[in-house]
Amino acid sequence: MHFDNFSFGSLRIDDSTYEHDVVIDRGEIRDRKKKPSKKFRDDFGHTPLSIAEDIPWKCHQLVIGTGAFGRLPVMEDVKREAKCRQVKLRILPTIKAIEVLRRELKDTNAILHVTC
């Protein structure tokens, strides 16, 4: 998997450009479905990542890219669930998350926020 050209609102992976949040689950890329988390938006001022979403837990490490400026909130229930599942959780601005993925993609899943 080749990561290239991340900028606010756009991320290129292999030969595809994504202008929305993505989930990488065991090498497969899909759109992040954040609708289940929208009910928490007023509490955070932004739709957070919550346990209500389809999080790709089948891994040893889950990398969460929090956007260009690191503003995607990650709810505490996600952190607790990672701990219970013994999944190493790395929460980083998306540019740094991509750096981790370039080095450590084996048995690593990701959720990448492409804006804020």
Side-chain angles (χ1 to χ4, degrees):
M1 194 169 282
H2 180 73
F3 297 88
D4 196 23
N5 295 339
F6 170 69
S7 62
F8 186 92
S10 180
L11 170 63
R12 189 162 179 82
I13 304 173
D14 295 331
D15 293 326
S16 298
T17 299
Y18 300 90
E19 295 178 341
H20 50 75
D21 296 1
V22 297
V23 174
I24 300 171
D25 187 355
R26 293 170 284 171
E28 297 294 319
I29 301 170
R30 60 180 160 86
D31 295 352
R32 174 184 169 217
K33 305 291 188 212
K34 58 185 178 180
K35 185 177 180 180
S37 295
K38 285 199 181 267
K39 60 187 169 194
F40 304 111
R41 184 182 176 101
D42 290 342
D43 296 337
F44 291 89
H46 189 292
T47 303
L49 178 65
S50 79
I51 200 75
E53 293 184 40
D54 184 15
I55 296 175
W57 291 117
K58 292 181 182 176
C59 59
H60 284 114
Q61 176 172 248
L62 177 62
V63 175
I64 299 174
T66 57
F69 305 109
R71 293 187 181 148
L72 173 71
V74 178
M75 292 182 67
E76 288 300 318
D77 58 357
V78 173
K79 297 172 186 176
R80 281 192 299 273
E81 186 67 18
K83 191 172 186 175
C84 286
R85 291 175 179 257
Q86 298 180 344
V87 170
K88 181 179 180 182
L89 188 62
R90 304 211 34 202
I91 302 170
L92 307 160
T94 298
I95 193 73
K96 294 198 180 290
I98 291 167
E99 290 171 12
V100 169
L101 293 170
R102 283 180 176 144
R103 294 188 315 264
E104 305 172 33
L105 194 56
K106 185 177 179 181
D107 206 24
T108 298
N109 288 336
I111 299 171
L112 301 174
H113 185 57
V114 299
T115 57
C116 67

